[in-house]
Amino acid sequence: MAKNKNARLIYAPLGGAGEIGMNMYLYGYGPEGKERFILVDVGVTFGNMESSPGVDLIMADISWIQARADRLDAIFITHGHEDHVGALGLLWPRLHVPVYARRFTTALAQGKMERAGLDTTKVIETHPWPKKVKVGPFEVGFVPVSHSIPESSSLVIDTPAGRILHTGDFKVDPTPVVGEPFDPDLFGEIGREGVKVLVCDSTNVFSTHPGRSEATLEKPISELISNASGMVVATTFASNVARLKTLALAGKAAGREIVVLGRAMNHMLSTARATEVLDGFPPTVDATDAQDIPRRNLMLLATGSQGERRAASAQLSEGKYLGFELKKDDTFLFSSKTIPGNEVSVARILNRLSEKGVNIIDDSAEIYHVSGHPNRPDLARMHELINADILIPMHGEHRHLSTHAALGEEKGMKSVIAPNGTVVDLTGDTPEIVDNIETGRLYLDGTELIGAMDGVILERIRIALRGHVSVSVIIDEKGRPLGDAWVELQGLPEMTAMPNGLAGEIEDELGDVMNRADRKVLNDDDALEDLIRRTCTRTCNNAMGKKPICSIMISRLAD
């Protein structure tokens, strides 16, 4: 590929850098202001009641690239985890470009497009390395890596200014059970061909021991299940097909029938079979056919390892689910790691299981779970194999990025910490931060996508923290209050110690204030709203030390 002396090669993360999840990375090449772009991954993260009450999904705001969509050539999806592909059906209508992925990921991505009523043919199945996809000034190849979902890939991105290796999520695993093993010879060969920039997963940079293989779990899981009494339930990530296979085979070997509970888990297994990445999975029994099987001969694989309240694990902890009920001395295995932020939800399930007398086995001893990401020695091995000139850490919080950058610099690589919104010029020998673009969040609120600057979520949080007062007043034809103000409280105590309660107290105060107000205030909606709001705030603050949100409706009778 011919290099344009006036062109530059840039990298700009929109999500996933400075945080874990919601991955979205831009690469651009061309004259400044006229670059052609590719987008790598379009992921989501999940809302929580503390920072985003009522929100189902959160994704990066794509306004910047949406405004330049005529210069976006394609989207490339590294693998099928929600934090890499979950936003595709929601955001594709704003971009309208081809999407490239490998077979298993293509099936998952097409499902998201179909559920959104979009053209599934826009997601194009590609073949692994050494095949390449040429779009604009880029040639992109999918290099198989091991991870906790089948057919994960690193991306080789060849440009006129040099080669980039975008690792995506990976682990150094020679025996992943399902999916391709990590191939050091292949990565070494790619490195010897010359790599300018390594953009690399930073998730486990603080773990100082080498990562363990998925295959090492077979023995301890088999021993646990064979020694268990009563019914056994195991939960893990629905996408971890290899773990599901290990669990199911262990259950079958212990003489148990396997029942899969949860739509997401059943969907992943059926997709894995249809795309021929899964074989040897034992036969399963439908939940309706398992009711007559003795408990000691049952093993349930359940969704909800992160405490999702509607998933099978949460339902089982609360009571019956599809006819199954946990009892004393049953065993519940969490073959997963709790993602930071989900600790409260998971602890809620653990406590409910404990109240039932269930034997709980979690991941705290790291016996029944292994990570899908590279630990520090594995990162060092990738650095050595690729031997890049420049390292850009990604997929991690800021402390992960900075620690990973220091690790690379110790090995002689030039590095830069580039959180979301950072524009890095990679054209020269040294990475240079040249700009910052505005990045933010989009929230899926019901069926609507709303922006962080819309104020909806902030207002919802303020109401949750401070409570809400609704005030309705009527102004007659002569511009005087007609009757008393009407007040309704939401999220505030009634204050029964007050003769008329808090609502009555506010109504009385508003009556006094409005009867004393001059005609100029009463005839001006803005001035009257301000008077009512100040009175409401002062009354609540005096009564209970809170300043609630106040919504005001003024009705005026016509002359």
Side-chain angles (χ1 to χ4, degrees):
M1 290 182 282
K3 183 176 180 180
N4 183 341
K5 66 178 181 179
N6 296 318
R8 64 176 187 168
L9 175 63
I10 59 173
Y11 161 80
L14 303 180
E19 62 193 351
I20 295 177
M22 208 176 67
N23 294 277
M24 189 180 295
Y25 308 91
L26 273 173
Y27 293 94
Y29 179 80
E32 184 175 351
K34 297 180 179 179
E35 297 94 346
R36 305 296 304 182
F37 294 98
I38 59 172
L39 187 62
V40 174
D41 291 334
V42 281
V44 297
T45 190
F46 298 95
N48 61 69
M49 288 303 295
E50 289 186 6
S51 62
S52 51
V55 167
D56 297 308
L57 298 174
I58 307 172
M59 61 215 76
D61 189 341
I62 60 168
S63 298
W64 192 87
I65 189 59
Q66 184 179 347
R68 297 158 179 80
D70 60 326
R71 292 193 272 130
L72 180 66
D73 289 313
I75 297 170
F76 292 86
I77 308 294
T78 59
H79 64 281
H81 277 148
E82 288 297 298
D83 63 332
H84 292 259
V85 72
L88 182 63
L90 298 165
L91 299 182
W92 188 89
R94 303 186 180 199
L95 300 173
H96 286 280
V97 294
V99 181
Y100 295 93
R102 293 184 62 196
R103 186 180 182 188
F104 178 73
T105 308
T106 292
L108 297 175
Q110 287 179 337
K112 295 187 178 298
M113 295 284 278
E114 182 177 14
R115 287 189 289 276
L118 302 173
D119 185 356
T120 61
T121 65
K122 298 301 182 182
V123 184
I124 303 165
E125 180 186 335
T126 60
H127 297 286
W129 186 265
K131 298 290 185 181
K132 296 182 184 180
V133 177
K134 180 167 175 50
V135 293
F138 304 94
E139 289 186 2
V140 182
F142 288 75
V143 184
V145 289
S146 48
H147 185 42
S148 54
I149 190 171
E151 286 194 347
S152 297
S153 297
S154 298
L155 299 180
V156 169
I157 305 171
D158 284 323
T159 78
R163 171 172 284 184
I164 299 167
L165 180 73
H166 181 104
T167 67
D169 294 2
F170 78 99
K171 65 178 296 185
V172 177
D173 190 344
T175 52
V177 180
V178 174
E180 298 113 329
F182 183 83
D183 186 346
D185 293 335
L186 177 57
F187 278 89
E189 179 184 331
I190 291 169
R192 286 189 293 274
E193 292 174 359
V195 175
K196 182 181 182 71
V197 184
L198 174 63
V199 182
C200 193
D201 183 356
S202 307
T203 310
N204 286 352
V205 69
F206 298 119
S207 297
T208 57
H209 55 84
R212 294 160 54 213
S213 171
E214 183 70 29
T216 63
L217 298 181
E218 179 183 357
K219 186 173 185 289
I221 285 177
S222 295
E223 290 176 350
L224 172 69
I225 295 173
S226 65
N227 293 326
S229 60
M231 187 168 64
V232 173
V233 183
T235 185
T236 188
F237 297 99
S239 58
N240 196 336
V241 176
R243 187 70 48 78
L244 294 175
K245 181 178 178 180
T246 298
L247 290 165
L249 288 173
K252 202 69 177 177
R256 296 176 181 267
E257 297 296 332
I258 310 301
V259 181
V260 180
L261 299 179
R263 181 192 58 80
M265 198 172 281
N266 277 290
H267 176 63
M268 279 289 175
L269 289 172
S270 64
T271 303
R273 292 188 188 99
T275 54
E276 300 178 332
V277 298
L278 175 64
D279 58 19
F281 197 94
T284 60
V285 176
D286 189 85
T288 57
D289 297 328
Q291 302 305 317
D292 295 329
I293 298 174
R295 300 175 65 79
R296 65 181 180 278
N297 298 126
L298 270 179
M299 178 170 177
L300 313 182
L301 300 179
T303 55
S305 67
Q306 299 306 302
E308 300 94 324
R309 61 185 177 86
R310 291 192 296 267
S313 293
Q315 300 285 341
L316 285 167
S317 73
E318 291 175 352
K320 287 187 177 182
Y321 180 66
L322 297 180
F324 298 105
E325 183 177 10
L326 286 164
K327 297 182 179 180
K328 189 176 187 300
D329 294 330
D330 286 344
T331 297
F332 200 110
L333 167 63
F334 280 80
S335 184
S336 57
K337 181 179 180 180
T338 301
I339 296 173
N342 294 339
E343 293 90 349
V344 173
S345 298
V346 172
R348 190 176 296 119
I349 292 176
L350 293 173
N351 281 312
R352 288 199 294 253
L353 293 174
S354 179
E355 290 169 3
K356 291 176 177 290
V358 173
N359 298 318
I360 303 167
I361 313 295
D362 62 20
D363 73 321
S364 56
E366 297 186 352
I367 298 172
Y368 306 106
H369 173 70
V370 293
S371 174
H373 296 272
N375 292 353
R376 188 176 300 187
D378 309 316
L379 290 173
R381 190 175 187 192
M382 178 65 85
H383 295 171
E384 182 181 351
L385 290 169
I386 298 303
N387 193 28
D389 301 320
I390 296 169
L391 169 68
I392 300 182
M394 64 161 181
H395 203 292
E397 297 170 355
H398 194 280
R399 63 195 183 101
H400 295 83
L401 306 185
S402 59
T403 302
H404 193 180
L407 181 65
E409 287 170 357
E410 289 175 5
K411 301 299 182 181
M413 285 185 287
K414 296 166 184 173
S415 190
V416 63
I417 302 168
N420 295 338
T422 307
V423 180
V424 183
D425 189 335
L426 302 171
T427 316
D429 296 332
T430 301
E432 182 183 358
I433 296 175
V434 294
D435 200 0
N436 280 278
I437 59 180
E438 187 171 322
T439 57
R441 301 283 192 265
L442 290 175
Y443 301 93
L444 182 64
D445 191 31
T447 60
E448 290 294 309
L449 278 178
I450 58 176
M453 302 306 292
D454 293 354
V456 175
I457 304 305
L458 178 60
E459 187 74 3
R460 194 174 291 165
I461 293 171
R462 290 171 63 199
I463 291 172
L465 293 173
R466 296 162 56 183
H468 182 253
V469 177
S470 298
V471 179
S472 178
V473 298
I474 300 174
I475 305 298
D476 67 16
E477 301 92 330
K478 297 179 181 180
R480 301 301 303 176
L482 180 63
D484 295 329
W486 177 83
V487 172
E488 183 177 359
L489 308 178
Q490 291 176 297
L492 292 167
E494 283 292 344
M495 305 291 290
T496 54
M498 294 180 171
N500 298 315
L502 180 58
E505 184 77 11
I506 298 171
E507 289 172 350
D508 292 343
E509 287 291 324
L510 287 172
D512 291 344
V513 169
M514 291 176 64
N515 285 327
R516 294 196 308 268
D518 61 38
R519 185 63 60 87
K520 184 177 180 181
V521 171
L522 292 172
N523 287 338
D524 184 331
D525 281 357
D526 290 338
L528 182 55
E529 275 196 28
D530 183 61
L531 176 65
I532 293 171
R533 183 171 288 106
R534 284 188 287 108
T535 302
C536 179
T537 300
R538 183 184 68 252
T539 304
C540 290
N541 192 43
N542 290 339
M544 56 179 299
K546 270 191 177 294
K547 298 179 179 180
I549 305 300
C550 187
S551 297
I552 302 160
M553 183 172 67
I554 300 171
S555 301
R556 294 185 181 274
L557 301 181
D559 293 333

